[in-house]
Amino acid sequence: MDRIKHTVVQSAASLSNMRAGILKQIGEEKGQYGYSEVVNACGLSYAKLYSEIEQRHEKEQEQYYNADGTLLTKEEEIEWLDMQYEQEIEWQKSCFRIAAQGQVIQGNIPETPTKEIEELEDAFYQARDDYMKLYNESKQAGRPLALQNFIFGNSRMYEMLNRLGNLQERVK
């Protein structure tokens, strides 16, 4: 029973669920959110999940297991988290690309903004790195990790993303 209690089932949705919870809270507080908040929420979600993994593995008296019963290592959990983050980036880029292609078809924009899609990917990786730096600083100072209003990428990218998001909502 002890082994069952300490079995970690790696959820493919844990990062997305945490990001969605953060964005829901922002939406309730501000009434809306933009792509800048999406990028920040993803970076914060990564750092928080990383923190949970670290804390779980620091407790040497507790051992955690894969669903197949093998001992779960910290490295395996971080590898899984990295994979989730990469999938989240691909999902966000795909959503942006689909919204842009719809607007191209409708004649609202001349072409799919591929440069902005590439910049969006870079922004997500920068967010992860900056939130991990913030996590390490917060851990040393004994402060909780919190959402910041960092700007990753440039304003043109966010302007395009937010505009496409708003156009997509009006079409519905």
Side-chain angles (χ1 to χ4, degrees), residues 23 26 30 32-40 92 95-97 99-100 103 109 113 116-117 120 124 149-171:
L23 292 174
I26 293 170
K30 293 182 176 181
Q32 66 179 9
Y33 58 84
Y35 271 91
S36 177
E37 286 90 0
V38 172
V39 173
N40 274 285
Q92 293 295 337
C95 290
F96 178 46
R97 190 177 297 109
Q103 296 308 313
I109 58 174
E116 283 80 3
I117 293 172
L120 178 63
F124 277 106
N149 195 21
F150 293 137
I151 298 295
F152 303 102
N154 64 51
S155 60
R156 177 171 154 50
M157 176 190 73
Y158 288 115
E159 190 178 299
M160 174 69 74
L161 288 164
N162 291 331
R163 194 175 94 219
L164 287 173
N166 290 338
L167 287 172
Q168 186 181 16
E169 286 178 19
R170 280 187 267 170
V171 171

Side-chain angles (χ1 to χ4, degrees), residues 11-97:
S11 169
S14 58
L15 185 100
S16 295
N17 289 343
M18 186 174 285
R19 181 232 342 119
I22 293 167
L23 292 174
K24 181 180 179 196
Q25 184 178 358
I26 293 170
E28 289 170 354
E29 290 172 7
K30 293 182 176 181
Q32 66 179 9
Y33 58 84
Y35 271 91
S36 177
E37 286 90 0
V38 172
V39 173
N40 274 285
C42 286
L44 177 60
S45 297
Y46 181 93
K48 281 187 168 192
L49 289 169
Y50 189 96
S51 169
E52 289 175 14
I53 292 168
E54 244 185 15
Q55 288 173 10
R56 188 168 42 250
H57 286 276
E58 284 176 1
K59 297 178 181 177
E60 292 178 4
Q61 72 273 14
E62 294 182 23
Q63 293 184 330
Y64 291 84
Y65 301 90
N66 287 305
D68 66 3
T70 58
L71 193 60
L72 184 66
T73 67
K74 178 180 171 181
E75 292 74 22
E76 288 172 323
E77 283 197 77
I78 292 170
E79 184 178 317
W80 184 259
L81 178 59
D82 288 341
M83 188 172 65
Q84 284 185 70
Y85 198 75
E86 290 167 9
Q87 289 173 346
E88 180 69 26
I89 292 169
E90 289 305 314
W91 168 254
Q92 293 295 337
K93 286 175 24 184
S94 177
C95 290
F96 178 46
R97 190 177 297 109

Side-chain angles (χ1 to χ4, degrees), residues 94-111:
S94 177
C95 290
F96 178 46
R97 190 177 297 109
I98 289 167
Q101 288 169 347
Q103 296 308 313
V104 169
I105 291 168
Q106 293 178 16
N108 294 325
I109 58 174
E111 62 185 18

